[in-house]
Amino acid sequence: MSRAGGLPRNGIVGGDRVVVATSSRLCRFLGIEEVIFLLAFAGGFVDAAGYLKLFGVFTSSITGNLVVAATVVADLQGVITRTSVCVSFTGAAGITASLALYLKLVKHVSLHTLALVLFGIEVVALVVVLVVGTLLNEIISKTNDIDNWSVALVASLLGLSMGVQNIAAREAVSNCPQTTVMTSTLVNVAANVSSVIAYAQFKNNNLNINEQDVCEALSLTSAELEMKLEEEVNKLIYSAKPLLAFVLGALVGALTMQHASFYCLCIPIGLLLILLLDIFLQQMSTEEEPVRQQEGQVEEEEEEEEMEREEEEEAKEEEEKQLEQQQEVENVLGERDKEIETKKEMVD
């Protein structure tokens, strides 16, 4: 799996969001693709678990709730719960987005702190759903009314958690595609499949079109056509991973909700806690780096000062030697002058 920076920052499929994040890694061990896979898995898990337990209410695919609520408005069955989920999802997303702006623009927090706060809120929301859902599980199991207050409450809390995840992923994960709804992802996968097939046909000349004509039409050389095909394959793989993760999460969520009820939410909660721990470890590593650099600078300065002192001492020793040699020369010359004067006196 490629890591952060493995694909162009603004060229990743589904990267329709501009993130204020810095170029530093978000996690210590997980790459961007693994983080997106984890979030998409959690999104599919929560949506399927909620759908199965709460009488067909979507807790992350909000568009479905809007459509169903509009179609059943005649008898009003399900309108209250579905509307409450839409409101909680939208409200949570709006409040979380405002919080993210406040943290970035006013508090000037780092990417890692921002991610810890936002994903931490999602974990808290899912824990609340786990507790409340477990307490109300008997009531939910006995009722057949989709608009029962217990169903509406738990569904709204699940929708809230997914609203938080949408904003957290957008703000913290560079060029993150949607992780709670797969409509745009399916469009990207279909478009990428079409591109891969087309470029493969052009490359292998299966369309009985002259390769030179193809290259001229696409303004590409043969080598660039090969690279373009490889690029489209990479885009297809990248765009398909969140979709596969979402489907896998939905399967696991449906199966575990059926057998473990709301306790199944321990799975997405555990995954998000792993993500938070990894972000925290990276934050610690990032904060320690300037300290190590500063310590290195101090050591270098001390070494430079020590070298300067040694050079000064050597210079002093050299100067003293020169002075001694000069004094010896003066003494020799003085004695020679005395001898000459003595000889002159003897001659006189």
Side-chain angles (χ1 to χ4, degrees):
M1 282 188 177
S2 62
R3 299 289 178 183
L7 290 173
R9 182 175 177 81
N10 294 322
I12 295 178
V13 176
D16 55 347
R17 302 290 185 184
V18 178
V19 183
V20 183
T22 62
S23 59
S24 61
R25 284 180 62 93
L26 176 65
C27 298
R28 180 69 171 174
F29 300 105
L30 296 175
I32 291 297
E33 291 189 26
E34 287 88 344
V35 173
I36 295 173
F37 191 94
L38 184 151
L39 293 176
F41 180 92
F45 188 104
V46 170
D47 205 21
Y51 182 89
L52 186 65
K53 188 69 174 180
L54 303 174
F55 305 100
V57 175
F58 297 103
T59 53
S60 63
S61 302
I62 301 304
T63 306
N65 286 327
L66 291 173
V67 173
V68 176
T71 57
V72 298
V73 71
D75 57 7
L76 298 180
Q77 185 178 5
V79 173
I80 296 175
T81 295
R82 294 184 189 280
T83 303
S84 65
V85 172
C86 294
V87 171
S88 65
F89 182 97
T90 306
I95 293 172
T96 306
S98 299
L99 175 62
L101 283 174
Y102 173 78
L103 292 175
K104 290 188 295 184
L105 301 181
V106 179
K107 294 300 183 179
H108 306 290
V109 300
S110 66
L111 168 67
H112 303 102
T113 300
L114 179 66
L116 288 172
V117 171
L118 299 185
F119 286 120
I121 293 174
E122 182 184 0
V123 170
V124 171
L126 288 174
V127 171
V128 170
V129 175
L130 171 60
V131 174
V132 174
T134 302
L135 294 175
L136 300 178
N137 185 48
E138 185 175 353
I139 299 175
I140 295 173
S141 300
K142 290 180 178 180
T143 185
N144 292 320
D145 183 11
I146 187 175
D147 286 326
N148 183 278
W149 67 271
S150 59
V151 176
L153 176 60
V154 175
S156 297
L157 291 173
L158 279 174
L160 182 149
S161 67
M162 291 296 96
V164 173
Q165 176 171 307
N166 268 274
I167 300 301
R170 187 187 72 171
E171 295 293 339
V173 183
S174 177
N175 298 297
C176 185
Q178 291 291 333
T179 58
T180 60
V181 61
M182 291 292 114
T183 304
S184 60
T185 302
L186 279 170
V187 172
N188 288 329
V189 170
N192 291 328
V193 168
S194 176
S195 297
V196 169
I197 293 174
Y199 282 109
Q201 295 290 334
F202 290 147
K203 177 181 175 295
N204 298 322
N205 197 23
N206 292 334
L207 301 178
N208 295 323
I209 302 175
N210 186 276
E211 182 178 355
Q212 185 176 357
D213 294 338
V214 173
C215 292
E216 290 179 358
L218 298 175
S219 299
L220 298 173
T221 64
S222 297
E224 290 173 340
L225 183 62
E226 178 80 21
M227 293 176 61
K228 187 66 176 177
L229 174 59
E230 183 178 353
E231 178 184 345
E232 294 299 327
V233 170
N234 290 334
K235 285 183 178 181
L236 173 59
I237 295 173
Y238 187 88
S239 62
K241 286 179 180 178
L243 177 61
L244 295 175
F246 189 89
V247 173
L248 179 61
L251 290 173
V252 176
L255 292 173
T256 54
M257 175 58 82
Q258 189 172 9
H259 293 89
S261 189
F262 287 100
Y263 289 109
C264 71
L265 293 177
C266 291
I267 295 175
I269 291 172
L271 292 175
L272 289 169
L273 287 175
I274 292 173
L275 175 61
L276 287 172
L277 176 60
D278 204 11
I279 295 172
F280 178 75
L281 292 175
Q282 178 61 17
Q283 183 182 38
M284 292 297 98
S285 175
T286 303
E287 290 178 353
E288 290 175 359
E289 186 63 27
V291 175
R292 288 195 295 268
Q293 291 178 354
Q294 185 176 2
E295 291 176 350
Q297 290 176 354
V298 171
E299 292 178 357
E300 290 179 0
E301 291 175 358
E302 291 177 350
E303 291 178 358
E304 290 177 357
E305 291 176 357
E306 182 66 24
M307 292 177 62
E308 289 177 357
R309 285 196 295 268
E310 291 178 356
E311 290 176 356
E312 290 177 358
E313 291 177 357
E314 290 177 358
K316 287 181 181 179
E317 291 177 357
E318 186 68 23
E319 185 177 354
E320 290 176 356
K321 288 181 180 180
Q322 291 179 355
L323 290 174
E324 290 177 358
Q325 291 176 355
Q326 185 177 358
Q327 186 65 36
E328 290 177 358
V329 171
E330 290 177 354
N331 292 336
V332 170
L333 292 176
E335 292 177 357
R336 184 178 298 174
D337 291 340
K338 288 180 181 180
E339 290 178 358
I340 292 173
E341 289 178 358
T342 302
K343 289 180 179 179
K344 284 182 180 180
E345 290 176 357
M346 292 176 62
V347 171
D348 293 340

